Amino acid sequence: MNSLFASSIGKKLIMSLTGLFLIVFLMVHLGINLSLIFYDSREPFNKAAHFMSSNVLIKILEIILFGGFFLHMFYGLYLQIKNWIARGRGYYKANYSQTSFFSKYMIHTAIIITVFLIIHLTDFYFKAKFFGEVPEVYYDGKPYHDLGILVIEKFKIPGFVIFYIACFLFLAFQLLHGFWSAFQTLGLDHQVYTPVIKILGIIYTALITIGFTAIPLYVYYFM
Amino acid sequence: MNFTLKIWRQESAKSKGKFVVYNVSNISPDCSFLEMLDILNQQLIDKFEKPVCFDHDCREGICGACGLYINGRPHGPDEDITTCQLHMRRFKDGDTIVIEPWRGRPFPVIKDLVVDRNAFDKIIAAGGYISVSTGGVPDANAIPIPREDADLAMDAAACIGCGACVAACKNTSAMLFVAAKVSQLARLPQGRIEAKERVIKMVAKMDELGFGSCTNTGACEAECPKNISISHIAKLNREYIKAKIF
């Protein structure tokens, strides 16, 4: 068991499991974000954000989440560097075999998403957690961080909206390959179910992309 | 037909190597790719120049010896064939054809277009065989094997070990090659017995030899002259995880 993760397949297994975990996390995140535009008040969003930062179970999950992000990024980069080394001298004519297009650019899209993640965390998460620069609102006499207003202010900046949407398109490229690829790495391949997983991957990617890009557009134009 | 050939020439494993441009003319469209190289080599010999080295043996697409990276694709532009089965009618008159050896640290160039594919033999030697005594040839249906398993094992057994999967893979991964052997033997009763030991040893050897890891891109499957599916890679993953955990 201990030597499982020492092998290349074991490291891919880590990529797969953390990837699937992050896929679930994205859905939760989207759900909370959507509450900002589905209600007239920012109250549900702020309360949800408060719950996510104060609940003990979520706090434990948060550590796992950061761990998941770290492992996914670390092993992604580690395996990529090993793969580059494995080639040695490259080809004069680049290979143009019929392959899954997005899988060729996973490291590139990953770097863009990492940059986004750092900016995203500094903009919202770290502000709420450590810097205390978030305005406060009171619901039923209790103080809450008004993260909603922070988000709305950000999404009123055209440059930020474009950057945010572009990053989610790159994330879509990751998901289009990553979703199915995670199952393949787990060895879950089936004549009937694999095509279903591939379609589910496309549907999931579409929902995540449309959901996350609709929010800044809605805020920019209608709020 | 006339062609301009841009061929990788390298004196030995240690020397640097470079592309050299040659022209061949009056090539019949029905000439095979390797025959075209034979014609070029005869021309070079006639001029007292060193011929271009390339691997070949059966020239029937079954031995796995030939393997050239032609215009950006292992075994050239056609699907499901080896280099020896490629014909010049597949190209246009006057085309420039770039011919490179397989690239990858585990496949070092020996000379010109010939690479050392010993790494594959080492992976097979690590466990790609059945060592249990299976006796003489058994009666045809003495051991019942589900039709699906027999078919999938046969598909995997079609691997000729040419190395096109490694050459095509952006990660220089040998997963399709290893998967074909692991999957073939694990699906059959005689091979099943040593399945756990086999998959652990073969993957360890593959890693040790410096092959890359699989990112499920599928270039291997697209270039495999025997059309071996990457679903065998999923089987390999399954077998490996199972072997390591249980």
Side-chain angles (χ1 to χ4, degrees), chain A residues 135-149:
Chain A
E136 285 194 342
V137 280
Y138 286 85
Y139 301 120
D140 312 320
K142 274 203 224 155
Y144 288 90
H145 274 144
D146 194 0
L147 274 169
I149 195 76

Side-chain angles (χ1 to χ4, degrees), chain B residues 70-123:
Chain B
I70 302 158
N71 280 347
R73 289 187 71 178
H75 295 306
D78 275 339
E79 305 292 323
D80 305 340
I81 58 158
T82 53
T83 305
C84 63
Q85 295 167 294
L86 178 66
H87 287 81
M88 298 318 291
R89 54 181 171 265
R90 190 61 180 73
F91 299 90
K92 283 202 240 28
D93 189 29
D95 268 1
T96 296
I97 305 169
V98 182
I99 312 168
E100 300 174 69
W102 286 174
R103 294 288 186 196
R105 274 184 209 278
F107 283 173
V109 172
I110 298 170
K111 190 173 166 59
D112 296 337
L113 302 169
V114 180
V115 297
D116 181 359
R117 280 173 287 185
N118 225 325
F120 270 9
D121 296 334
K122 287 177 186 163
I123 293 174

Side-chain angles (χ1 to χ4, degrees), chain A residues 1-10 12-13 79-80 82-101 103-107 177 180-191 198, chain B residues 6 8 16 19 69 71-74 77 98 100-106 148 166-172 175 203 206-207 210-219 222-223 230-231 233-234 236-238 240-241 244-245:
Chain A
M1 180 72 190
N2 55 344
S3 59
L4 169 63
F5 298 115
S7 67
S8 61
I9 294 180
K12 284 286 301 167
L13 190 64
L79 288 170
Q80 181 62 70
K82 280 204 93 167
N83 290 343
W84 279 327
I85 292 170
R87 175 62 76 210
R89 189 193 180 94
Y91 289 109
Y92 171 80
K93 272 240 176 182
N95 179 270
Y96 67 96
S97 310
Q98 282 284 317
T99 56
S100 109
F101 176 79
S103 71
K104 291 187 189 171
Y105 305 103
M106 292 301 266
I107 188 71
H177 176 67
W180 161 77
S181 185
F183 288 91
Q184 167 85 359
T185 302
L186 285 171
L188 299 174
D189 174 78
H190 190 270
Q191 243 179 330
K198 284 185 177 176
Chain B
K6 194 170 178 175
W8 181 259
K16 256 192 103 180
F19 280 101
Y69 187 87
N71 280 347
R73 289 187 71 178
V98 182
E100 300 174 69
W102 286 174
R103 294 288 186 196
R105 274 184 209 278
E148 196 189 348
V166 175
C169 177
K170 73 180 179 66
N171 308 320
T172 323
M175 284 285 275
V203 169
M206 172 187 88
D207 286 348
F211 287 101
S213 55
C214 178
T215 51
N216 307 322
T217 299
E223 295 304 344
I230 55 170
S231 67
I233 294 183
L236 166 63
N237 290 333
R238 210 151 62 225
Y240 188 76
I241 296 165
K244 279 286 186 182
I245 293 177

